[in-house]
């Protein structure tokens, strides 16, 4: 090799190493937890939805697991409910059913009855006691969620099926109740390619049980206050958006949560993986199951908060991946770190 050629070769090699190095560094950097945190507010509310589309349970503390919130042993000694661990699905095609189609589902309450049973209540219905299903005794199957994603479920039996069919459809069959024991993670790769390509931090690691996409949803109360100002006299509350975590603080700008890459509350650390795109569900009043006649808050939100992502739906709140599990409590300070890339 001539001296000129070897110098050229060396420079090219150096350039390649530099480019690859920078790429690896960037990729690694994206996933590294930050060292410095900024306090922005406090944890104001903690909500757990035992049944997808059902009524919320308001907690003062929760165990934040990889698949979402769970009651603590201090609060519920014999059995701890998980967020969206139960789901209603159609007997015929195993498609999930929600309050989008059946608003009265938002009034269904789930509680722990004893170590083996849940108690389920709804207006005009007698209490249903459901034996907590186990893989050995109940039928395992798959149900279909958004985009036809197939998710594992354990069926809760015929008595639960007829109770849910009666309350929701007014007849004795048609719907069934499914339970997730948190023994498996979801796989978004087959059905959510477009979303996975667009949101670079979103991966299977962010999935929960029967939540729409990720295990935890966070909303800043200020964002709701701003939305209500825009709507005018509005009865829209943060509960219309069904978040798990509501934060508030005097220094929080509306929608500031969009720019938070990392969030630390109590012992837990979260990664912001996606803005939360909203649907017709938000127009259903969570306390009396009536639909807003003006299609609010969706109508106003569409005017100024449409997503640039694959779905052009309006945005409220952020979808989080749990990167460090742990206990979180109402009143805990909320720390954030902005994106490093
Ligand atoms: C998912 O989590 C596992 C285990 O913590 C980790 O090794 C992997 O890199 C994560 N994958 C992504 C895409 O973040
Ligand atoms: C809100 O309601 C009050 C009293 O009902 C009324 O005076 C006011 O004009 C309303 N504001 C808007 C923005 O609709
Ligand atoms: C939440 O919104 C409030 C009200 O706009 C704002 O003052 C506060 O900074 C926001 N909090 C965060 C953490 O963005
Ligand atoms: C449901 O609650 C909302 C908000 O409080 C109220 O505006 C609406 O009239 C209620 N609907 C019924 C049927 O009670």
């Amino acid at each position: 090799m001539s001296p000129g050629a070897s110098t050229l070769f060396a420079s090219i090699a150096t350039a390649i190493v530099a480019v690859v190095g920078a790429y690896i560094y960037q990729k690694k950097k994206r996933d590294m937890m930050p060292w410095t945190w900024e306090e922005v507010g406090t944890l104001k509310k903690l909500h757990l939805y035992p049944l997808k589309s059902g009524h919320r349970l308001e907690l003062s503390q929760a165990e934040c697991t990889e698949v979402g919130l769970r009651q603590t042993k201090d609060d519920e000694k014999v059995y701890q409910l998980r967020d969206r661990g139960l789901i209603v699905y159609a007997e015929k095609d195993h498609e999930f059913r929600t309050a989008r189609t059946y608003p009265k589902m938002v009034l269904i309450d789930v509680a722990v009855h004893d170590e083996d049973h849940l108690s389920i209540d709804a207006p005009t219905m007698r209490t249903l006691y459901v034996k907590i299903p186990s893989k050995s005794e109940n039928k395992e199957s798959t149900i279909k969620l958004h985009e036809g994603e197939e998710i594992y479920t354990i069926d809760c039996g015929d008595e639960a099926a007829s109770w849910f069919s009666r309350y929701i459809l007014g007849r004795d069959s048609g719907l069934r109740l499914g339970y997730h024991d948190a023994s498996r993670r979801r796989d978004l790769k087959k059905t959510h390619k477009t979303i996975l390509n667009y949101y670079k931090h979103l991966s299977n690691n962010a999935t929960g049980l029967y939540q729409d996409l990720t295990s935890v949803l966070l909303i800043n109360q200020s964002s709701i206050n701003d939305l209500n100002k825009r709507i005018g006299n509005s009865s829209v509350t943060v509960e219309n958006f069904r978040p798990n975590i509501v934060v508030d603080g005097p220094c929080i700008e509306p929608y500031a949560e969009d720019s938070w890459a990392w969030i630390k509350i109590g012992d837990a650390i979260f990664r912001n993986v996606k803005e939360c795109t909203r649907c017709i569900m938000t127009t259903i009043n969570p306390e009396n199951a009536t639909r807003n006649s003006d299609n609010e808050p969706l109508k106003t939100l569409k005017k100024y908060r449409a997503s640039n992502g694959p779905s052009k739906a309006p945005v409220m709140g952020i979808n989080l991946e749990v990167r460090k599990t742990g206990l979180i409590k109402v009143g805990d300070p909320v720390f954030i770190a902005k994106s490093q890339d």
Side-chain angles (χ1 to χ4, degrees):
M1 226 186 272
S2 73
S6 77
T7 309
L8 181 64
F9 179 77
S11 338
I12 291 171
T14 310
I16 290 172
V17 168
V19 168
V20 170
Y23 177 75
I24 291 170
Y25 178 71
Q26 279 299 324
K27 268 202 97 81
K28 219 173 139 59
K29 196 163 106 170
R30 267 209 298 276
D31 268 337
M32 251 179 352
M33 282 189 202
W35 295 103
T36 54
W37 297 92
E38 176 192 347
E39 188 174 339
V40 294
T42 54
L43 175 55
K44 189 179 169 198
K45 292 180 179 174
L46 263 177
H47 291 168
L48 184 153
Y49 294 84
L51 170 72
K52 186 179 185 69
S53 274
H55 201 248
R56 66 184 177 279
L57 209 58
E58 300 187 2
L59 306 177
S60 58
Q61 57 178 3
E63 202 60 57
C64 194
T65 77
E66 284 181 355
V67 290
L69 301 190
R70 184 182 201 179
Q71 286 180 303
T72 65
K73 290 202 164 102
D74 285 345
D75 290 329
E76 202 55 77
K77 291 197 175 44
V78 294
Y79 177 85
Q80 299 82 39
L81 291 166
R82 289 177 182 273
D83 188 55
R84 273 90 168 187
L86 293 163
I87 193 166
V88 174
Y89 66 98
E91 183 166 23
K92 195 173 53 178
D93 54 12
H94 280 218
E95 293 259 4
F96 75 126
R97 290 290 183 267
T98 69
R100 290 171 190 93
T101 324
Y102 305 109
K104 68 200 294 202
M105 284 179 72
V106 303
L107 303 179
I108 301 173
D109 277 304
V110 179
V112 176
H113 178 66
D114 62 30
E115 59 195 7
D116 299 318
H117 296 85
L118 304 177
S119 64
I120 302 187
D121 284 287
T124 76
M125 301 290 290
R126 67 174 166 78
T127 301
L128 168 74
Y129 297 99
V130 179
K131 178 134 198 299
I132 298 167
S134 72
K135 274 189 248 190
S136 51
E137 291 172 40
N138 298 64
K139 222 171 54 193
E140 276 181 61
S141 65
T142 55
I143 53 166
K144 286 196 202 109
L145 246 74
H146 296 291
E147 315 293 334
E149 179 194 349
E150 292 194 339
I151 307 187
Y152 151 85
T153 202
I154 310 176
D155 186 76
C156 294
D158 291 341
E159 197 190 344
S162 71
W163 190 97
F164 276 85
S165 303
R166 182 128 299 281
Y167 175 63
I168 297 169
L169 305 176
R171 46 189 166 87
D172 285 329
S173 64
L175 299 176
R176 301 202 66 87
L177 182 66
Y179 168 81
H180 202 307
D181 63 2
S183 65
R184 296 187 204 174
R185 294 303 289 272
R186 286 162 61 174
D187 185 4
L188 302 173
K189 285 185 202 133
K190 256 193 245 162
T191 48
H192 291 75
K193 279 206 187 81
T194 318
I195 284 179
L196 285 170
N197 285 339
Y198 183 78
Y199 299 100
K200 63 182 176 186
H201 295 296
L202 178 66
S203 73
N204 285 342
N205 287 1
T207 59
L209 304 179
Y210 299 125
Q211 294 93 346
D212 273 353
L213 205 57
T214 77
S215 54
V216 177
L217 171 65
L218 176 145
I219 290 182
N220 177 6
Q221 179 65 45
S222 343
S223 311
I224 301 297
N225 302 348
D226 177 74
L227 171 64
N228 271 324
K229 265 189 235 148
R230 291 169 191 259
I231 299 175
N233 291 337
S234 154
S235 57
V236 170
T237 63
V238 72
E239 284 76 31
N240 280 63
F241 294 90
R242 309 173 68 80
N244 299 112
I245 296 176
V246 181
V247 303
D248 204 359
C251 318
I252 305 184
E253 295 295 323
Y255 319 111
E257 66 269 29
D258 296 3
S259 68
W260 305 343
W262 295 88
I263 295 140
K264 185 163 74 141
I265 307 172
D267 298 328
I269 295 179
F270 307 89
R271 182 72 172 90
N272 177 357
V273 296
K274 186 184 163 292
E275 57 194 1
C276 186
T277 46
R278 314 314 307 236
C279 71
I280 195 79
M281 182 92 194
T282 58
T283 64
I284 299 163
N285 183 294
E287 312 309 333
N288 64 19
T290 54
R291 253 190 234 284
N292 183 293
S293 51
D294 294 325
N295 206 32
E296 295 288 12
L298 213 53
K299 190 171 93 183
T300 299
L301 205 53
K302 266 183 188 155
K303 289 186 197 153
Y304 72 106
R305 296 271 295 159
S307 168
N308 294 319
S311 116
K312 302 300 172 201
V315 170
M316 178 61 85
I318 50 178
N319 286 127
L320 305 180
E321 174 184 336
V322 179
R323 289 291 293 266
K324 182 171 174 287
T325 60
L327 185 69
I328 61 180
K329 294 181 181 153
V330 170
D332 276 347
V334 174
F335 299 89
I336 61 135
K338 301 232 165 109
S339 180
Q340 300 157 331
D341 52 41

